[in-house]
Short mmCIF file of all heavy atoms in Angstrom, two decimals:
data_model
loop_
_atom_site.label_atom_id
_atom_site.label_comp_id
_atom_site.label_asym_id
_atom_site.label_seq_id
_atom_site.Cartn_x
_atom_site.Cartn_y
_atom_site.Cartn_z
N GLN A 261 2.60 -5.48 -6.16
CA GLN A 261 1.76 -4.44 -5.56
C GLN A 261 0.81 -3.85 -6.61
O GLN A 261 1.26 -3.43 -7.67
CB GLN A 261 2.65 -3.33 -4.99
CG GLN A 261 3.56 -3.86 -3.90
CD GLN A 261 4.62 -2.85 -3.48
OE1 GLN A 261 4.42 -1.66 -3.53
NE2 GLN A 261 5.76 -3.37 -3.05
N CYS A 262 -0.48 -3.85 -6.31
CA CYS A 262 -1.48 -3.34 -7.25
C CYS A 262 -2.01 -1.99 -6.76
O CYS A 262 -2.42 -1.86 -5.61
CB CYS A 262 -2.64 -4.32 -7.38
SG CYS A 262 -2.13 -5.87 -8.12
N TRP A 263 -2.04 -1.02 -7.66
CA TRP A 263 -2.45 0.34 -7.30
C TRP A 263 -3.95 0.55 -7.42
O TRP A 263 -4.45 1.64 -7.18
CB TRP A 263 -1.67 1.36 -8.12
CG TRP A 263 -0.25 1.40 -7.67
CD1 TRP A 263 0.77 0.61 -8.11
CD2 TRP A 263 0.31 2.20 -6.62
NE1 TRP A 263 1.93 0.88 -7.42
CE2 TRP A 263 1.68 1.85 -6.50
CE3 TRP A 263 -0.22 3.18 -5.78
CZ2 TRP A 263 2.51 2.46 -5.57
CZ3 TRP A 263 0.63 3.78 -4.86
CH2 TRP A 263 1.98 3.42 -4.76
N SER A 264 -4.70 -0.51 -7.80
CA SER A 264 -6.17 -0.42 -7.83
C SER A 264 -6.78 -1.80 -7.71
O SER A 264 -6.13 -2.81 -7.99
CB SER A 264 -6.64 0.25 -9.12
OG SER A 264 -6.43 -0.62 -10.22
N GLU A 265 -8.05 -1.82 -7.32
CA GLU A 265 -8.81 -3.08 -7.22
C GLU A 265 -8.92 -3.72 -8.60
O GLU A 265 -8.81 -4.93 -8.75
CB GLU A 265 -10.24 -2.79 -6.72
CG GLU A 265 -10.30 -2.28 -5.30
CD GLU A 265 -10.32 -3.39 -4.27
OE1 GLU A 265 -10.58 -4.55 -4.65
OE2 GLU A 265 -10.06 -3.09 -3.09
N VAL A 266 -9.14 -2.87 -9.61
CA VAL A 266 -9.31 -3.35 -10.99
C VAL A 266 -8.04 -4.06 -11.47
O VAL A 266 -8.10 -5.14 -12.04
CB VAL A 266 -9.65 -2.17 -11.94
CG1 VAL A 266 -9.70 -2.61 -13.39
CG2 VAL A 266 -10.97 -1.53 -11.53
N GLN A 267 -6.90 -3.45 -11.20
CA GLN A 267 -5.62 -4.06 -11.59
C GLN A 267 -5.43 -5.41 -10.90
O GLN A 267 -5.01 -6.38 -11.54
CB GLN A 267 -4.46 -3.11 -11.23
CG GLN A 267 -3.11 -3.63 -11.70
CD GLN A 267 -1.94 -2.83 -11.16
OE1 GLN A 267 -2.03 -2.19 -10.11
NE2 GLN A 267 -0.84 -2.84 -11.88
N ALA A 268 -5.76 -5.49 -9.62
CA ALA A 268 -5.62 -6.74 -8.86
C ALA A 268 -6.51 -7.83 -9.45
O ALA A 268 -6.09 -8.97 -9.63
CB ALA A 268 -5.96 -6.51 -7.40
N ARG A 269 -7.75 -7.48 -9.78
CA ARG A 269 -8.68 -8.44 -10.38
C ARG A 269 -8.19 -8.92 -11.73
O ARG A 269 -8.27 -10.09 -12.06
CB ARG A 269 -10.05 -7.79 -10.57
CG ARG A 269 -10.98 -8.34 -9.58
CD ARG A 269 -12.42 -8.21 -9.89
NE ARG A 269 -13.02 -8.08 -8.59
CZ ARG A 269 -13.62 -7.00 -8.16
NH1 ARG A 269 -13.76 -5.96 -8.93
NH2 ARG A 269 -14.12 -6.96 -6.96
N TRP A 270 -7.70 -7.97 -12.51
CA TRP A 270 -7.21 -8.27 -13.86
C TRP A 270 -6.06 -9.28 -13.79
O TRP A 270 -6.06 -10.28 -14.48
CB TRP A 270 -6.74 -6.96 -14.51
CG TRP A 270 -6.24 -7.11 -15.90
CD1 TRP A 270 -4.96 -7.24 -16.30
CD2 TRP A 270 -7.04 -7.16 -17.09
NE1 TRP A 270 -4.89 -7.35 -17.66
CE2 TRP A 270 -6.15 -7.31 -18.18
CE3 TRP A 270 -8.41 -7.08 -17.34
CZ2 TRP A 270 -6.58 -7.39 -19.50
CZ3 TRP A 270 -8.84 -7.15 -18.66
CH2 TRP A 270 -7.94 -7.32 -19.71
N ILE A 271 -5.10 -9.01 -12.90
CA ILE A 271 -3.91 -9.86 -12.79
C ILE A 271 -4.22 -11.23 -12.19
O ILE A 271 -3.70 -12.24 -12.63
CB ILE A 271 -2.82 -9.14 -11.97
CG1 ILE A 271 -2.28 -7.94 -12.76
CG2 ILE A 271 -1.68 -10.08 -11.60
CD1 ILE A 271 -1.41 -7.01 -11.95
N CYS A 272 -5.07 -11.24 -11.16
CA CYS A 272 -5.31 -12.49 -10.43
C CYS A 272 -6.46 -13.33 -10.96
O CYS A 272 -6.41 -14.55 -10.92
CB CYS A 272 -5.54 -12.20 -8.96
SG CYS A 272 -4.05 -11.60 -8.15
N GLU A 273 -7.52 -12.67 -11.45
CA GLU A 273 -8.69 -13.43 -11.87
C GLU A 273 -8.85 -13.55 -13.39
O GLU A 273 -8.94 -14.64 -13.92
CB GLU A 273 -9.96 -12.79 -11.29
CG GLU A 273 -10.05 -12.92 -9.78
CD GLU A 273 -11.19 -12.09 -9.20
OE1 GLU A 273 -12.25 -11.99 -9.85
OE2 GLU A 273 -10.99 -11.51 -8.11
N TYR A 274 -8.88 -12.40 -14.07
CA TYR A 274 -9.20 -12.40 -15.49
C TYR A 274 -8.04 -12.86 -16.37
O TYR A 274 -8.24 -13.49 -17.38
CB TYR A 274 -9.68 -11.02 -15.95
CG TYR A 274 -10.83 -10.48 -15.12
CD1 TYR A 274 -10.91 -9.15 -14.79
CD2 TYR A 274 -11.85 -11.32 -14.67
CE1 TYR A 274 -11.95 -8.64 -14.03
CE2 TYR A 274 -12.90 -10.83 -13.90
CZ TYR A 274 -12.94 -9.49 -13.59
OH TYR A 274 -13.97 -9.01 -12.83
N HIS A 275 -6.81 -12.51 -15.99
CA HIS A 275 -5.64 -12.89 -16.78
C HIS A 275 -4.54 -13.47 -15.91
O HIS A 275 -3.46 -12.90 -15.81
CB HIS A 275 -5.11 -11.67 -17.57
CG HIS A 275 -6.03 -11.25 -18.65
ND1 HIS A 275 -6.03 -11.83 -19.89
CD2 HIS A 275 -7.02 -10.32 -18.67
CE1 HIS A 275 -6.97 -11.26 -20.63
NE2 HIS A 275 -7.60 -10.36 -19.90
N PRO A 276 -4.81 -14.62 -15.28
CA PRO A 276 -3.83 -15.19 -14.35
C PRO A 276 -2.54 -15.65 -15.03
O PRO A 276 -1.57 -15.95 -14.37
CB PRO A 276 -4.57 -16.35 -13.70
CG PRO A 276 -5.66 -16.68 -14.63
CD PRO A 276 -6.04 -15.42 -15.34
N GLU A 277 -2.53 -15.69 -16.37
CA GLU A 277 -1.31 -16.11 -17.08
C GLU A 277 -0.51 -14.91 -17.59
O GLU A 277 0.54 -15.07 -18.18
CB GLU A 277 -1.66 -17.06 -18.24
CG GLU A 277 -2.35 -16.43 -19.45
CD GLU A 277 -3.76 -15.88 -19.15
OE1 GLU A 277 -4.46 -16.43 -18.30
OE2 GLU A 277 -4.13 -14.88 -19.80
N SER A 278 -1.01 -13.69 -17.33
CA SER A 278 -0.33 -12.49 -17.81
C SER A 278 1.06 -12.33 -17.20
O SER A 278 1.30 -12.71 -16.06
CB SER A 278 -1.18 -11.25 -17.51
OG SER A 278 -1.43 -11.16 -16.12
N ALA A 279 1.96 -11.79 -18.00
CA ALA A 279 3.34 -11.58 -17.54
C ALA A 279 3.40 -10.33 -16.68
O ALA A 279 3.17 -9.22 -17.15
CB ALA A 279 4.27 -11.45 -18.73
N VAL A 280 3.66 -10.51 -15.40
CA VAL A 280 3.74 -9.41 -14.45
C VAL A 280 5.03 -9.58 -13.66
O VAL A 280 5.46 -10.70 -13.40
CB VAL A 280 2.51 -9.43 -13.50
CG1 VAL A 280 2.60 -8.34 -12.45
CG2 VAL A 280 1.22 -9.29 -14.29
N ASP A 281 5.63 -8.48 -13.26
CA ASP A 281 6.90 -8.50 -12.55
C ASP A 281 6.73 -8.82 -11.06
O ASP A 281 6.92 -7.95 -10.21
CB ASP A 281 7.59 -7.13 -12.76
CG ASP A 281 9.00 -7.11 -12.22
OD1 ASP A 281 9.59 -8.20 -12.03
OD2 ASP A 281 9.53 -6.00 -11.97
N PHE A 282 6.36 -10.08 -10.77
CA PHE A 282 6.24 -10.51 -9.38
C PHE A 282 7.64 -10.55 -8.77
O PHE A 282 8.60 -10.89 -9.44
CB PHE A 282 5.61 -11.90 -9.31
CG PHE A 282 4.12 -11.90 -9.44
CD1 PHE A 282 3.52 -11.91 -10.69
CD2 PHE A 282 3.31 -11.86 -8.31
CE1 PHE A 282 2.14 -11.89 -10.81
CE2 PHE A 282 1.93 -11.85 -8.42
CZ PHE A 282 1.34 -11.86 -9.67
N ARG A 283 7.72 -10.18 -7.48
CA ARG A 283 9.04 -10.12 -6.83
C ARG A 283 9.10 -10.99 -5.59
O ARG A 283 8.11 -11.14 -4.88
CB ARG A 283 9.34 -8.68 -6.43
CG ARG A 283 9.31 -7.76 -7.62
CD ARG A 283 10.36 -6.71 -7.54
NE ARG A 283 10.48 -6.09 -8.85
CZ ARG A 283 10.62 -4.80 -9.02
NH1 ARG A 283 10.67 -4.01 -7.98
NH2 ARG A 283 10.75 -4.30 -10.22
N LEU A 284 10.30 -11.48 -5.32
CA LEU A 284 10.55 -12.23 -4.10
C LEU A 284 10.51 -11.25 -2.92
O LEU A 284 10.76 -10.06 -3.11
CB LEU A 284 11.93 -12.89 -4.17
CG LEU A 284 12.03 -14.15 -5.04
CD1 LEU A 284 13.49 -14.47 -5.31
CD2 LEU A 284 11.34 -15.32 -4.36
N PRO A 285 10.22 -11.74 -1.73
CA PRO A 285 10.23 -10.83 -0.58
C PRO A 285 11.65 -10.36 -0.27
O PRO A 285 12.63 -11.00 -0.67
CB PRO A 285 9.69 -11.70 0.56
CG PRO A 285 9.98 -13.10 0.15
CD PRO A 285 9.89 -13.12 -1.35
N ALA A 286 11.78 -9.26 0.46
CA ALA A 286 13.08 -8.74 0.87
C ALA A 286 13.73 -9.71 1.85
O ALA A 286 14.94 -9.90 1.85
CB ALA A 286 12.91 -7.37 1.51
N GLU A 287 12.89 -10.33 2.69
CA GLU A 287 13.37 -11.33 3.66
C GLU A 287 12.37 -12.48 3.71
O GLU A 287 11.18 -12.27 3.57
CB GLU A 287 13.47 -10.72 5.06
CG GLU A 287 14.51 -9.64 5.22
CD GLU A 287 14.37 -8.89 6.54
OE1 GLU A 287 13.89 -9.50 7.53
OE2 GLU A 287 14.72 -7.70 6.57
N ARG A 288 12.89 -13.68 3.97
CA ARG A 288 12.01 -14.86 4.10
C ARG A 288 12.56 -15.78 5.18
O ARG A 288 13.72 -16.12 5.17
CB ARG A 288 11.95 -15.58 2.75
CG ARG A 288 11.27 -16.94 2.80
CD ARG A 288 10.95 -17.47 1.42
NE ARG A 288 9.76 -16.82 0.91
CZ ARG A 288 9.40 -16.79 -0.38
NH1 ARG A 288 10.15 -17.36 -1.29
NH2 ARG A 288 8.29 -16.18 -0.74
N ASP A 289 11.72 -16.15 6.17
CA ASP A 289 12.11 -17.20 7.12
C ASP A 289 11.11 -18.34 6.92
O ASP A 289 10.35 -18.35 5.99
CB ASP A 289 12.10 -16.81 8.62
CG ASP A 289 11.96 -15.33 8.87
OD1 ASP A 289 11.84 -14.69 7.89
OD2 ASP A 289 11.95 -14.84 10.00
N ASP A 290 11.11 -19.26 7.88
CA ASP A 290 10.28 -20.47 7.73
C ASP A 290 8.82 -20.18 7.42
O ASP A 290 8.25 -20.78 6.53
CB ASP A 290 10.39 -21.34 8.99
CG ASP A 290 11.79 -21.89 9.18
OD1 ASP A 290 12.53 -21.94 8.17
OD2 ASP A 290 12.15 -22.24 10.31
N ASN A 291 8.20 -19.29 8.18
CA ASN A 291 6.78 -19.06 7.93
C ASN A 291 6.40 -17.59 7.87
O ASN A 291 5.26 -17.23 8.14
CB ASN A 291 5.91 -19.81 8.94
CG ASN A 291 6.43 -19.64 10.36
OD1 ASN A 291 7.25 -18.76 10.61
ND2 ASN A 291 5.96 -20.47 11.25
N SER A 292 7.35 -16.73 7.51
CA SER A 292 6.99 -15.34 7.31
C SER A 292 7.87 -14.70 6.23
O SER A 292 9.02 -15.09 6.04
CB SER A 292 7.06 -14.55 8.61
OG SER A 292 8.40 -14.35 8.97
N ASP A 293 7.27 -13.75 5.53
CA ASP A 293 7.96 -12.98 4.51
C ASP A 293 7.88 -11.52 4.91
O ASP A 293 6.97 -11.11 5.63
CB ASP A 293 7.28 -13.14 3.14
CG ASP A 293 7.57 -14.50 2.50
OD1 ASP A 293 8.47 -15.21 3.00
OD2 ASP A 293 6.91 -14.83 1.51
N ARG A 294 8.83 -10.74 4.42
CA ARG A 294 8.81 -9.29 4.68
C ARG A 294 9.04 -8.60 3.35
O ARG A 294 10.02 -8.90 2.65
CB ARG A 294 9.93 -8.96 5.66
CG ARG A 294 9.90 -7.55 6.17
CD ARG A 294 11.01 -7.48 7.21
NE ARG A 294 11.50 -6.12 7.34
CZ ARG A 294 11.32 -5.39 8.42
NH1 ARG A 294 10.65 -5.87 9.43
NH2 ARG A 294 11.81 -4.18 8.49
N ILE A 295 8.11 -7.72 3.00
CA ILE A 295 8.25 -6.97 1.76
C ILE A 295 8.23 -5.47 2.09
O ILE A 295 7.90 -5.09 3.21
CB ILE A 295 7.12 -7.29 0.75
CG1 ILE A 295 5.76 -6.84 1.29
CG2 ILE A 295 7.10 -8.77 0.39
CD1 ILE A 295 4.67 -6.81 0.24
N PHE A 296 8.59 -4.66 1.11
CA PHE A 296 8.51 -3.21 1.27
C PHE A 296 7.45 -2.69 0.33
O PHE A 296 7.53 -2.89 -0.88
CB PHE A 296 9.86 -2.54 1.04
CG PHE A 296 10.81 -2.79 2.17
CD1 PHE A 296 11.68 -3.87 2.16
CD2 PHE A 296 10.79 -1.97 3.29
CE1 PHE A 296 12.53 -4.12 3.22
CE2 PHE A 296 11.64 -2.21 4.37
CZ PHE A 296 12.51 -3.29 4.33
N VAL A 297 6.43 -2.04 0.88
CA VAL A 297 5.31 -1.51 0.09
C VAL A 297 5.60 -0.05 -0.23
O VAL A 297 5.88 0.74 0.67
CB VAL A 297 3.98 -1.64 0.87
CG1 VAL A 297 2.83 -1.05 0.07
CG2 VAL A 297 3.70 -3.09 1.22
N GLU A 298 5.53 0.28 -1.51
CA GLU A 298 5.79 1.65 -1.94
C GLU A 298 4.62 2.56 -1.54
O GLU A 298 3.47 2.14 -1.56
CB GLU A 298 5.91 1.71 -3.47
CG GLU A 298 7.10 0.95 -4.01
CD GLU A 298 7.03 0.79 -5.51
OE1 GLU A 298 6.43 1.65 -6.19
OE2 GLU A 298 7.56 -0.22 -6.00
N HIS A 299 4.95 3.79 -1.16
CA HIS A 299 3.91 4.79 -0.95
C HIS A 299 4.48 6.16 -1.27
O HIS A 299 5.69 6.34 -1.31
CB HIS A 299 3.28 4.70 0.45
CG HIS A 299 4.20 4.96 1.59
ND1 HIS A 299 3.75 5.32 2.83
CD2 HIS A 299 5.55 4.91 1.70
CE1 HIS A 299 4.78 5.48 3.65
NE2 HIS A 299 5.87 5.24 2.99
N SER A 300 3.60 7.10 -1.56
CA SER A 300 4.04 8.44 -1.92
C SER A 300 2.95 9.44 -1.56
O SER A 300 1.83 9.06 -1.23
CB SER A 300 4.34 8.52 -3.42
OG SER A 300 3.14 8.34 -4.16
N GLY A 301 3.30 10.70 -1.66
CA GLY A 301 2.31 11.73 -1.36
C GLY A 301 2.89 13.11 -1.51
O GLY A 301 4.03 13.29 -1.95
N THR A 302 2.10 14.08 -1.11
CA THR A 302 2.56 15.47 -1.10
C THR A 302 2.26 16.05 0.26
O THR A 302 1.25 15.71 0.90
CB THR A 302 1.86 16.31 -2.19
OG1 THR A 302 0.45 16.15 -2.07
CG2 THR A 302 2.30 15.91 -3.57
N ARG A 303 3.16 16.91 0.72
CA ARG A 303 3.01 17.58 2.01
C ARG A 303 2.95 19.08 1.76
O ARG A 303 3.69 19.59 0.94
CB ARG A 303 4.22 17.26 2.88
CG ARG A 303 3.84 16.50 4.09
CD ARG A 303 4.99 16.36 5.07
NE ARG A 303 5.01 15.00 5.56
CZ ARG A 303 5.83 14.05 5.12
NH1 ARG A 303 6.72 14.31 4.21
NH2 ARG A 303 5.76 12.84 5.62
N ARG A 304 2.09 19.74 2.48
CA ARG A 304 2.00 21.19 2.37
C ARG A 304 2.61 21.87 3.58
O ARG A 304 3.19 21.23 4.44
CB ARG A 304 0.53 21.60 2.22
CG ARG A 304 -0.04 21.26 0.86
CD ARG A 304 -1.24 22.13 0.61
NE ARG A 304 -1.87 21.83 -0.66
CZ ARG A 304 -1.47 22.33 -1.82
NH1 ARG A 304 -0.44 23.13 -1.90
NH2 ARG A 304 -2.12 22.02 -2.92
N PHE A 305 2.40 23.17 3.65
CA PHE A 305 2.84 24.02 4.76
C PHE A 305 2.51 23.38 6.11
O PHE A 305 1.45 22.78 6.26
CB PHE A 305 2.09 25.35 4.61
CG PHE A 305 2.72 26.49 5.34
CD1 PHE A 305 4.03 26.85 5.08
CD2 PHE A 305 1.99 27.20 6.28
CE1 PHE A 305 4.61 27.91 5.75
CE2 PHE A 305 2.57 28.27 6.95
CZ PHE A 305 3.89 28.63 6.68
N PHE A 306 3.40 23.47 7.06
CA PHE A 306 3.23 22.90 8.40
C PHE A 306 3.15 21.37 8.39
O PHE A 306 2.65 20.77 9.31
CB PHE A 306 1.97 23.45 9.12
CG PHE A 306 1.99 24.92 9.35
CD1 PHE A 306 0.94 25.72 8.93
CD2 PHE A 306 3.07 25.53 9.97
CE1 PHE A 306 0.94 27.09 9.15
CE2 PHE A 306 3.10 26.90 10.19
CZ PHE A 306 2.04 27.68 9.77
N GLY A 307 3.58 20.74 7.30
CA GLY A 307 3.60 19.28 7.23
C GLY A 307 2.25 18.63 7.05
O GLY A 307 2.10 17.42 7.23
N MET A 308 1.22 19.42 6.69
CA MET A 308 -0.10 18.82 6.45
C MET A 308 -0.03 17.95 5.20
O MET A 308 0.51 18.37 4.18
CB MET A 308 -1.16 19.91 6.24
CG MET A 308 -1.50 20.64 7.51
SD MET A 308 -2.89 21.79 7.36
CE MET A 308 -3.00 22.19 5.65
N ILE A 309 -0.56 16.74 5.27
CA ILE A 309 -0.53 15.85 4.12
C ILE A 309 -1.66 16.23 3.18
O ILE A 309 -2.83 16.28 3.56
CB ILE A 309 -0.62 14.37 4.56
CG1 ILE A 309 0.67 13.98 5.28
CG2 ILE A 309 -0.87 13.46 3.37
CD1 ILE A 309 0.70 12.59 5.86
#
Side-chain angles (χ1 to χ4, degrees):
Q261 298 170 31
C262 295
W263 290 88
S264 71
E265 293 275 344
V266 174
Q267 184 189 25
R269 253 201 212 113
W270 182 263
I271 291 168
C272 292
E273 292 171 36
Y274 307 141
H275 291 276
E277 71 295 328
S278 57
V280 177
D281 188 20
F282 280 86
R283 302 218 166 138
L284 283 165
E287 294 168 30
R288 170 167 282 162
D289 348 2
D290 294 339
N291 46 15
S292 73
D293 285 348
R294 189 175 154 112
I295 65 166
F296 287 92
V297 178
E298 295 168 29
H299 63 160
S300 65
T302 52
R303 243 189 224 101
R304 287 201 182 276
F305 199 58
F306 298 127
M308 288 187 337
I309 291 176

